[in-house]
Amino acid sequence: MRVAVFEIKMDASLGNLFARSALDTAARSTKPPRYKCGISKACPEKHFAFKMASGAANVVGPKICLEDNVLMSGVKNNVGRGINVALANGKTGEVLDTKYFDMWGGDVAPFIEFLKAIQDGTIVLMGTYDDGATKLNDEARRLIADLGSTSITNLGFRDNWVFCGGKGIKTKSPFEQHIKNNKDTNKYEGWPEVVEMEGCIPQKQD
């Protein structure tokens, strides 16, 4: 008789174990899934996930992430005052180049040469840090507009701006955020708040 009772107790405790492991699994599955670059939802097939942020005042640099690879950030130590640019292959998402151009104390000519050399089918991601506009001239603005930007024409001193476009794009890009430098609304003394943006870039098809 004792053996039978022992078996019943064993069965009951095994049942508890199974119930507990099922609860643990359920708890784990309710944890929100993590998508590439930490974006809020998964991208459809044949799209590249991206997330980017402009710089914060002249203290924290911009950040550009594509397909879960941080291409530019303060931690990587490859960002700087002005316009920060990352180029990626439109078919593979592979990073081609990262550079920043000082548009306050620098010269716009190297930036213009860089923009002219971008190959068709290249994804172009740009973010400002501190001031991205003072040295911009009409030619530089036109070349960036040709990549799909709308806001570049009125980008001003210490505005915050992020943009994702492409060389050879036939329309204006939907991926652009711009906040004007305005002393009445600025979050930081002398600078507007950070602008952030995420999305899914269609993969270039042959």
Side-chain angles (χ1 to χ4, degrees), residues 109-120 139 142-143 147 167:
F111 187 32
I112 288 171
E113 290 311 305
F114 178 83
L115 292 169
K116 285 180 174 176
I118 298 171
Q119 300 292 306
D120 262 19
E139 185 179 9
R142 181 181 54 75
L143 288 165
L147 299 170
K167 186 67 181 277

Side-chain angles (χ1 to χ4, degrees), residues 2 25 59 67 94 101 103 115 125 176 192 195 200 205:
R2 280 181 191 159
T25 306
V59 181
E67 280 295 282
E94 178 191 1
F101 298 90
M103 292 293 105
L115 292 169
L125 304 109
E176 189 166 29
V195 282
C200 304
Q205 304 302 313

Side-chain angles (χ1 to χ4, degrees), residues 9-187:
K9 281 187 176 167
M10 279 290 290
D11 287 349
S13 59
L14 279 172
N16 284 339
L17 277 173
F18 287 132
R20 203 173 302 127
S21 69
L23 281 170
D24 288 346
T25 306
R28 276 199 297 274
S29 64
T30 54
K31 188 179 168 191
R34 189 197 172 279
Y35 302 115
K36 288 177 181 176
C37 290
I39 67 173
S40 54
K41 59 180 183 180
C43 286
E45 220 180 304
K46 295 188 176 170
H47 283 71
F48 300 124
F50 80 92
K51 188 171 187 174
M52 54 199 303
S54 68
N58 61 347
V59 181
V60 181
K63 185 174 180 180
I64 298 174
C65 176
L66 180 71
E67 280 295 282
D68 237 11
N69 294 320
V70 175
L71 308 184
M72 301 187 81
S73 72
V75 174
K76 287 180 78 80
N77 201 28
N78 65 347
V79 295
R81 179 173 69 183
I83 295 182
N84 293 258
V85 191
L87 304 180
N89 184 307
K91 287 182 186 172
T92 65
E94 178 191 1
V95 62
L96 301 172
D97 204 356
T98 59
K99 277 195 171 60
Y100 59 88
F101 298 90
D102 186 348
M103 292 293 105
W104 165 251
D107 180 6
V108 74
F111 187 32
I112 288 171
E113 290 311 305
F114 178 83
L115 292 169
K116 285 180 174 176
I118 298 171
Q119 300 292 306
D120 262 19
T122 302
I123 297 166
V124 184
L125 304 109
M126 296 186 179
T128 54
Y129 183 23
D130 189 358
D131 173 43
T134 297
K135 292 287 179 73
L136 276 182
N137 60 13
D138 289 344
E139 185 179 9
R141 290 177 190 269
R142 181 181 54 75
L143 288 165
I144 296 169
D146 288 347
L147 299 170
S149 171
T150 307
S151 299
I152 194 64
T153 51
N154 61 355
L155 187 71
F157 172 66
R158 286 187 177 173
D159 287 2
N160 271 343
W161 172 70
V162 286
F163 163 70
C164 173
K167 186 67 181 277
I169 192 169
K170 300 289 187 283
T171 57
K172 288 300 175 187
S173 170
F175 302 123
E176 189 166 29
Q177 295 289 330
H178 177 208
I179 296 184
K180 295 296 288 178
N181 169 20
N182 180 332
K183 64 177 172 33
D184 297 327
T185 56
N186 282 348
K187 182 171 182 179

